[in-house]
């Protein structure tokens, strides 16, 4: 037992003392280059797969939109709950290096299974569904499990004194995430749509390329093995922490009246557990308490892919020079690549010149305020966007006959009086569900059709050149031309000799250009730079060595809880969209004030100092122990010899 402990101590000292070669004479270890490339490839793999996942559900598995959306968000949530499992495995049993390798293999297997499930010749629809779900579960465990380990492992590569370089590393690390996201979001949909295989869209290739990128990520990570600083796991950390907390609670409950008060409730565990473990748990608890308000930021941030996207579909997307909606969709990731160097080399140094001490928690609070401003901008845009009427149908009838006409819709009494010749009438009819898609004819003399144009597809405008219109005896191909977003159109076909076509715009198109969304994206991205990157580095710097991955997992779980908040507010509030945006902005401002008060009372710690403090305590105990043995030996020699009586 003693030999094993000595080996562990030697391995730990070797892991901490090993110095990696530096990049070009800087204080950046060469090993971080492998970690950054690994993260780029892994994020390309993840976001590339997600870019076509919903389309795969709808067009390949033939699921409806509700089921597809539910499975998509369930998968996303699982990816942010599994980091806790990966963190426990890394800090307790395998260490960060081996955990990343083993779970990356699981990740690759998940991608391969997902790709095979997208091949039409492999089994029937049931097999495709089973393989797809199995692949997604494996991917969720793979990507979630390595999330906290890779970031913490990168931070481990830096020497104790190079805190500024480590802070900039997390910025570079975050840039690699967004670079992978941008490229994969562009490339993967092209592979699906432009490349045809098995008689249709090539989903197998669209999922296969991310699988190949994940293989490259794994190979690159293993290639840097000889350069990494590898700290061994500390044993079953989570179990020891839970036992220590449980003992402290029981001991306090049983002995609080008999024993004197203690400064902290965890100090009641001192009778059984070492002071270092108790101090480390205190450090983690202080950070976790700060995490409580943070999900509100992610609740706003993650609405870029839902509420903001829906807002964009109701705006004018007529871009010049071929710029399409996908650019706006990727605007956040593109701005991240621009803003990170601007903040690191411009904004933060300028604030420092003003003699303002910008601590990590102050940066995070400022990031929250910027995100709230983003939603204020989104509110202004939403108020000016004309939404399609909710639960309403616009019905217009044009009587082009020489006599009166009675119009009857089965199950509805919308027109009570007959329509006179050449009379135009309209009715805004409010009904929970009423849809008119039929073509009505009057003695094969004239026909009318009302077209409601409202689309959520990611294109600018639509041109309808070959719309088919049928009567009982004839069929017409009509050219409706360009139909704009948010507009309601009425088309009249009149046949008196040659066919004559009329197109009228009943409700004007929405002229609010999608470029008005740019300010809200600028605000939310600036907030992300100050909040997310800083929080990532803060979670690492304030965690003890034995729990760095666990604290990274706690940071990632705030994202998952943020999505839960969105679901609760969106489903339960039932309010207009602009008021919902304003509500989220107000909630985040309130949360940022609470967070600022909590941050004011937080004391920054240096976890590396624990090694020095408790090493000195151990040395003092050894000295005292050796002095005690010497004194005991002296007293024994000074004693007179006893004689037998």
């Amino acid at each position: 037992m003693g030999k094993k402990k000595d080996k562990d101590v030697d391995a730990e000292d070797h892991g901490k003392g090993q110095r990696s070669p530096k990049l070009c004479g800087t204080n950046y270890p060469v090993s971080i280059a492998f970690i950054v490339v690994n993260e780029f490839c892994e994020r390309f793999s993840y976001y590339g797969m997600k870019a076509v996942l919903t389309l795969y559900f709808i067009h390949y598995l033939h699921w409806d939109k509700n089921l597809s959306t539910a499975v998509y968000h369930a998968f996303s949530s699982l990816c942010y709950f599994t980091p806790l499992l990966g963190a426990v495995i890394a800090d307790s049993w395998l260490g960060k290096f081996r955990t990343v390798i083993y779970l990356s293999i699981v990740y690759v297997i998940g991608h391969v299974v997902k790709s095979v499930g997208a091949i039409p010749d492999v089994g029937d629809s049931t097999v495709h569904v089973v393989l797809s779900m199995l692949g997604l579960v494996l991917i969720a465990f793979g990507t979630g499990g390595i999330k906290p380990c890779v970031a913490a492992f990168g931070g481990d590569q830096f020497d104790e004194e190079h805190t500024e370089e480590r802070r900039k590393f997390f910025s570079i690390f975050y840039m690699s995430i967004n670079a992978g996201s941008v490229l994969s979001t562009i490339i993967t949909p092209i592979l699906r749509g432009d490349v045809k295989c098995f008689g249709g869209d090539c989903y197998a290739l669209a999922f296969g390329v991310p699988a190949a990128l994940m293989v490259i990520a794994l190979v690159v990570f293993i290639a840097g093995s000889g350069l990494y600083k590898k700290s061994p796991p500390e044993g079953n950390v989570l179990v020891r922490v839970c036992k220590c907390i449980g003992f402290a609670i029981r001991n306090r409950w049983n002995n609080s009246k008999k024993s004197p008060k203690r400064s902290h409730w965890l100090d009641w565990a001192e009778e059984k557990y070492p002071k270092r473990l108790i101090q480390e748990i205190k450090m983690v608890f202080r950070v976790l308490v700060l995490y409580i308000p943070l999900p509100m930021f992610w609740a706003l941030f993650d609405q870029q892919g839902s509420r903001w996207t829906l807002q964009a579909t109701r705006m004018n997307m007529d871009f010049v020079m071929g710029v399409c909606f996908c650019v706006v969709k990727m605007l956040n990731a593109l701005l991240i690549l621009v803003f990170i160097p601007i903040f690191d080399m411009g904004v933060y140094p300028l604030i420092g010149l003003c003699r303002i001490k910008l601590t990590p928690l102050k940066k995070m609070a400022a990031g929250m305020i910027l995100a709230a401003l983003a939603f204020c901008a989104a509110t202004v845009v939403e108020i000016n966007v004309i939404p399609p009427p909710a639960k309403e149908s616009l019905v217009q009838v044009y009587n082009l006959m020489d006599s009166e006409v009675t119009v009857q819709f089965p199950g509805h009494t919308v027109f009570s009086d007959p329509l006179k010749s050449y009379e135009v009438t309209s009715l805004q009819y409010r009904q929970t569900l009423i849809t008119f898609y039929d073509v009505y004819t009057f003695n094969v003399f004239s026909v009318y059709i009302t077209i409601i144009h409202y689309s959520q597809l990611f294109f600018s405008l639509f041109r309808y050149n070959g719309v088919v219109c049928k009567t009982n005896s004839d069929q017409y191909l009509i050219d409706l031309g360009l139909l704009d977003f948010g507009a309601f159109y009425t088309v009249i076909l009149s046949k008196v000799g040659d066919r004559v076509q009329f197109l009228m715009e009943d409700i004007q198109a929405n002229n609010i250009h999608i470029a008005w969304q740019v300010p809200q994206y600028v605000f939310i991205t600036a907030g992300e730079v100050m909040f997310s990157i800083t929080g990532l580095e803060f979670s690492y710097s304030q965690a003890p060595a034995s729990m760095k991955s666990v604290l990274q997992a706690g940071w990632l779980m705030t994202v998952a809880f943020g999505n839960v908040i969105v679901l609760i507010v969106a489903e339960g509030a039932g309010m207009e969209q602009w008021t919902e945006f304003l509500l989220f902005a107000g909630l985040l401002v309130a949360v940022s004030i609470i967070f600022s008060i909590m941050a004011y009372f937080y004391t920054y710690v240096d976890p590396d100092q624990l090694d020095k403090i408790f090493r000195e305590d151990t040395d003092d105990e050894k000295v005292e122990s050796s002095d005690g043995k010497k004194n005991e030996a002296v007293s024994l020699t000074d004693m007179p010899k006893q004689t037998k009586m």
Side-chain angles (χ1 to χ4, degrees), residues 311-318 380-386 484-485 509-517:
Q311 183 188 70
T313 61
R314 291 182 281 112
M315 301 176 72
N316 190 333
M317 301 183 195
D318 187 17
V380 174
V381 172
E382 184 68 25
I383 291 173
N384 288 278
V385 170
I386 304 172
D484 208 346
F485 283 89
N510 197 338
N511 292 321
I512 305 299
H513 200 275
I514 196 173
W516 285 105
Q517 276 197 328

Side-chain angles (χ1 to χ4, degrees), residues 392-397 407-415 427-431 433-440 448-452:
E392 291 186 359
S393 294
L394 178 64
V395 181
Q396 292 190 331
V397 176
V407 181
Q408 294 180 346
F409 294 97
H412 300 285
T413 57
V414 290
F415 297 106
L427 178 67
Q428 198 80 8
Y429 186 70
R430 191 174 287 274
Q431 181 75 15
L433 180 61
I434 177 171
T435 307
F436 306 111
Y437 290 123
D438 296 330
V439 177
Y440 297 89
Y448 82 93
I449 179 173
T450 300
I451 296 178
I452 299 175

Side-chain angles (χ1 to χ4, degrees), residues 188-433:
T188 311
I190 292 175
L191 294 176
R192 176 198 66 85
D194 294 356
V195 180
K196 301 297 179 182
C197 60
F198 306 106
D201 289 342
C202 202
Y203 287 101
L205 179 63
F207 291 137
V209 171
L213 263 293
M214 193 57 222
V215 172
I216 295 173
L218 178 59
V219 171
V220 169
F221 187 77
I222 295 174
S225 176
L227 301 172
Y228 298 140
K229 290 167 62 176
K230 305 168 191 172
S231 299
E234 301 284 338
N236 200 333
V237 177
L238 190 63
V239 173
R240 282 192 295 137
V241 169
C242 293
K243 287 182 176 179
C244 180
I245 293 171
F247 180 80
I249 294 172
R250 289 195 307 271
N251 195 24
R252 181 183 182 185
W253 179 264
N254 296 329
N255 302 315
S256 58
K257 295 181 180 179
K258 304 174 186 177
S259 304
K261 291 184 178 180
R262 306 190 184 185
S263 60
H264 195 279
W265 63 272
L266 276 169
D267 292 335
W268 289 92
E270 287 180 350
E271 285 85 346
K272 186 176 180 180
Y273 292 92
K275 290 183 178 180
R276 174 166 185 155
L277 177 63
I278 295 171
Q279 188 62 31
E280 288 177 345
I281 297 173
K282 288 180 183 178
M283 292 167 60
V284 171
F285 266 36
R286 281 196 289 266
V287 177
L288 290 178
V289 169
L290 281 175
Y291 283 173
I292 293 174
L294 303 189
M296 184 53 68
F297 174 87
W298 297 114
L300 276 70
F301 180 81
D302 287 338
Q303 291 189 54
Q304 293 178 78
S306 56
R307 298 299 195 193
W308 286 14
T309 301
L310 293 176
Q311 183 188 70
T313 61
R314 291 182 281 112
M315 301 176 72
N316 190 333
M317 301 183 195
D318 187 17
F319 274 94
V320 183
M321 297 174 64
V323 182
C324 63
F325 175 69
C326 58
V327 174
V328 177
K329 194 180 178 186
M330 295 185 301
L331 192 57
N332 172 251
L334 292 170
L335 287 174
I336 279 286
L337 300 177
V338 176
F339 279 9
I340 287 177
I342 289 176
F343 273 77
D344 279 346
M345 295 184 289
V347 176
Y348 294 151
L350 285 174
I351 294 175
L353 290 175
C354 297
R355 297 182 181 179
I356 299 174
K357 188 177 181 182
L358 198 60
T359 62
L361 295 180
K362 286 181 181 178
K363 290 181 185 178
M364 294 172 69
M368 289 181 174
I369 297 298
L370 288 171
L373 289 174
F375 266 67
C376 290
T379 303
V380 174
V381 172
E382 184 68 25
I383 291 173
N384 288 278
V385 170
I386 304 172
K391 299 181 180 179
E392 291 186 359
S393 294
L394 178 64
V395 181
Q396 292 190 331
V397 176
Y398 294 78
N399 182 10
L400 304 181
M401 296 179 63
D402 294 330
S403 59
E404 293 183 350
V405 173
T406 300
V407 181
Q408 294 180 346
F409 294 97
H412 300 285
T413 57
V414 290
F415 297 106
S416 56
D417 300 325
L419 301 180
K420 297 179 181 179
S421 179
Y422 295 99
E423 181 183 10
V424 180
T425 184
S426 63
L427 178 67
Q428 198 80 8
Y429 186 70
R430 191 174 287 274
Q431 181 75 15
T432 302
L433 180 61

Side-chain angles (χ1 to χ4, degrees), residues 632-644:
E632 185 180 352
V634 170
S635 61
L636 288 173
T637 54
D638 290 344
M639 287 179 64
K641 292 182 180 180
Q642 297 181 352
T643 57
K644 292 182 180 179

